[in-house]
Amino acid sequence: MAFAQSQNYSVNQAVETFRGLDVDDQLALFWFIYKEMGNSVTPAAPAASTVSPEIAEGLFNQVKDMSHEEQLQIQRDLITGASTQTTRQYGSLSDTTKLLFWYLLAQGMDSGTVIPMPENYQLSSSAQKLLDAIKQIPFEQQITLFRDYVSPMGAEPSAGAEI
Ligand code: 45D
């Protein structure tokens, strides 16, 4: 389909397609994106003024200490928008801090503190197509895409209550 080759590739369209995938397929695709990005993220970091590393790390440290099953459940809950203490805390972060949190999770998978991808996991063909398309868009637009993708995840902190 022209989607992947299109010069006028739309970030919004990609985000919509991403969200339309099965929850597990979204997680797997996000993981493969992380693997593709390699070390290109670190240089972008100083550009950010709206990121709170301590807050992202605080939430990540909570998740790191949970069982693998709970870690996976939390990531699925973030995508589906289920309301739990963790997803409400996530919902109170700035968009860039949310992105940093996901980045820390992926690094945790690399270092063994977060549940790893099953071996030989096969992306669905629609997820694979989207991955191929995302690889072709410029880095700045990729960042916008990922930020738009993670921004509405999680749940609203409830008013007047503890998070
Ligand atoms: O058993 O300006 C499956 C900052 C199947 C700095 C599974 C930045 C079943 C400021 C569900 C697949 C660094 C924030 C298991 C910029 C099964 C700034 C598990 C940029 C186990 C620009 C799947 C940040 C799992 C960027 C657990 C660009 C999958 C960050 C988990 C990009 C996947 C972050 C995860 C990315 C993917 C993070 C955690 C791409 C994370 C991806």
Side-chain angles (χ1 to χ4, degrees), residues 42-128:
T42 319
S49 53
T50 56
V51 68
S52 309
E54 318 75 30
I55 295 182
E57 275 159 30
L59 191 57
F60 170 73
N61 285 335
Q62 287 180 34
V63 175
K64 193 184 70 174
D65 291 338
M66 296 174 180
S67 70
H68 277 184
E69 290 68 25
E70 287 173 304
Q71 290 172 343
L72 179 55
Q73 189 56 48
I74 278 166
Q75 294 179 70
R76 287 172 169 152
D77 288 346
L78 286 171
I79 290 175
T80 61
S83 184
T84 70
Q85 189 176 334
T86 308
T87 63
R88 290 193 295 275
Q89 279 181 276
Y90 175 95
S92 69
L93 307 180
S94 76
D95 290 351
T96 309
T97 306
K98 288 174 182 168
L99 197 50
L100 179 57
F101 171 70
W102 279 103
Y103 186 68
L104 294 176
L105 283 175
Q107 286 189 318
M109 291 171 74
D110 260 341
S111 69
T113 55
V114 174
I115 184 170
M117 284 289 292
E119 279 181 41
N120 308 319
Y121 187 87
Q122 280 278 326
L123 277 182
S124 70
S125 62
S126 22
Q128 185 60 54

Side-chain angles (χ1 to χ4, degrees), residues 9 14 18 33 130-137 142 145-146:
Y9 184 81
F18 206 157
I33 288 170
L130 182 58
L131 177 60
D132 294 341
I134 289 172
K135 282 196 237 171
Q136 293 177 40
I137 68 175
Q142 289 178 346
L145 194 168
F146 304 148

Side-chain angles (χ1 to χ4, degrees), residues 2-11 136-138 141:
F3 187 67
Q5 284 89 22
S6 169
Q7 296 288 71
N8 302 314
Y9 184 81
S10 144
V11 165
Q136 293 177 40
I137 68 175
Q141 285 180 43

